[in-house]
Amino acid sequence: EVQLQASGGGLVQAGGSLRLSCAASGLPWDDYAIGWFRQAPGKGREGISSISSSDGSTVYADSVKGRFTISSDNAKNKVYLQLNSLKPEDTAVYYCAASRWYIKPEPKPIIYEFWGQGTQVTVSS
């Protein structure tokens, strides 16, 4: 059974930081990508970053480049998203997801087959 569990969200002031975690298990592929997405109220789901399991390559959306950092700990089957210099417009539910494909320039929800439940990030001004 595939399981993806996102955690680490919370309430933070503008300029603050959070670290999100994604615990993945049961994935049916040897190589895959883990992506982070977010969805703000009334908006579509935005792909913000992904990392390749095979070589650790990463991609970022322009909206988060330079502020967010994705990393992985393969021994723990976890992927992290470090969120720095947070802005009120970063407020959203953040999801992690898994795909057999790693694409550029940023992850597209349509190719991600398995999704976690989401974690809320709220940035106050």
Side-chain angles (χ1 to χ4, degrees):
E1 180 186 6
V2 175
Q3 290 190 334
L4 289 157
Q5 178 120 16
S7 61
L11 173 63
V12 64
Q13 289 187 331
S17 298
L18 285 172
R19 189 175 82 153
L20 307 184
S21 297
C22 176
S25 62
L27 295 176
W29 318 294
D30 291 332
D31 296 321
Y32 52 87
I34 299 293
W36 283 97
F37 299 81
R38 65 186 181 186
Q39 189 162 16
K43 295 190 176 181
R45 193 162 293 188
E46 177 191 12
I48 55 177
S49 185
S50 67
I51 186 166
S52 167
S53 71
S54 62
D55 63 3
S57 297
T58 60
V59 292
Y60 297 92
D62 288 343
S63 58
V64 305
K65 204 170 290 183
R67 300 188 299 123
F68 293 5
T69 303
I70 192 170
S71 62
S72 64
D73 184 338
N74 290 337
K76 295 182 179 180
N77 291 325
K78 285 194 173 181
V79 172
Y80 304 99
L81 188 68
Q82 179 68 39
L83 287 60
N84 295 332
S85 303
L86 282 162
K87 307 174 182 179
E89 52 264 42
D90 294 318
T91 294
V93 178
Y94 284 67
Y95 300 89
C96 62
S99 170
R100 72 186 71 195
W101 311 114
Y102 170 74
I103 65 168
K104 299 178 180 181
E106 71 272 339
K108 303 293 186 186
I110 194 170
I111 69 165
Y112 281 75
E113 298 181 37
F114 301 106
W115 292 80
Q117 85 288 3
T119 185
Q120 176 71 46
V121 171
T122 303
V123 184
S124 63
S125 57

